[in-house]
């Protein structure tokens, strides 16, 4: 996915019964997509699914068109799928 780059970071979103379960879901999704996870940030936050569009405008206003819409996000989340934010890669 990232060619010769050393690594990347990404915010992941999941619906789960606890933060621990959400992290495990995200890790499983990343591994399934062929990524090797070296570190998990300790910054884990809760957010209502209905706040997705506000969150996008606050965090990534330049990437809104590349990320799921509010309706798509809610569909993914309510179907227990993990949603990725934009990837930030580094060398």
């Amino acid at each position: 996915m990232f060619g010769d780059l050393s690594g990347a970071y990404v915010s992941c979103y999941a619906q789960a019964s606890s933060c621990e379960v959400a992290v495990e879901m995200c890790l499983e999704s990343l591994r399934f997509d062929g990524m090797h996870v070296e570190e998990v940030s300790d910054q884990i936050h809760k957010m209502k699914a209905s706040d997705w569009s506000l969150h996008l405008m606050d965090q990534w206003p330049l990437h809104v068109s590349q990320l799921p819409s509010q309706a798509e996000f809610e569909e993914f989340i309510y179907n227990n799928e993990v949603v990725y934010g934009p990837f930030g890669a580094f060398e």
Side-chain angles (χ1 to χ4, degrees):
M1 172 185 250
F2 295 106
D4 293 333
L5 297 172
S6 298
Y9 60 90
V10 64
S11 294
C12 299
Y13 301 84
Q15 175 178 263
S17 58
S18 69
C19 289
E20 292 81 11
V21 173
V23 168
E24 286 302 319
M25 288 174 63
C26 293
L27 290 172
E28 182 179 323
S29 182
L30 289 163
R31 286 185 204 115
F32 180 81
D33 288 339
M35 291 172 247
H36 171 73
V37 179
E38 291 185 13
E39 185 178 335
V40 176
S41 169
D42 61 353
Q43 295 183 9
I44 300 171
H45 305 279
K46 291 184 181 181
M47 177 184 85
K48 293 179 185 178
S50 60
D51 288 342
W52 173 249
S53 59
L54 296 173
H55 177 68
L56 286 182
M57 293 307 295
D58 182 52
Q59 295 294 312
W60 301 296
L62 300 177
H63 300 283
V64 170
S65 64
Q66 301 163 349
L67 296 167
S69 68
Q70 179 68 47
E72 292 168 329
F73 179 80
E74 289 185 31
E75 181 179 341
F76 293 140
I77 289 298
Y78 295 140
N79 285 318
N80 294 315
E81 296 180 46
V82 173
V83 176
Y84 301 141
F87 281 79
F90 56 91
E91 292 185 19

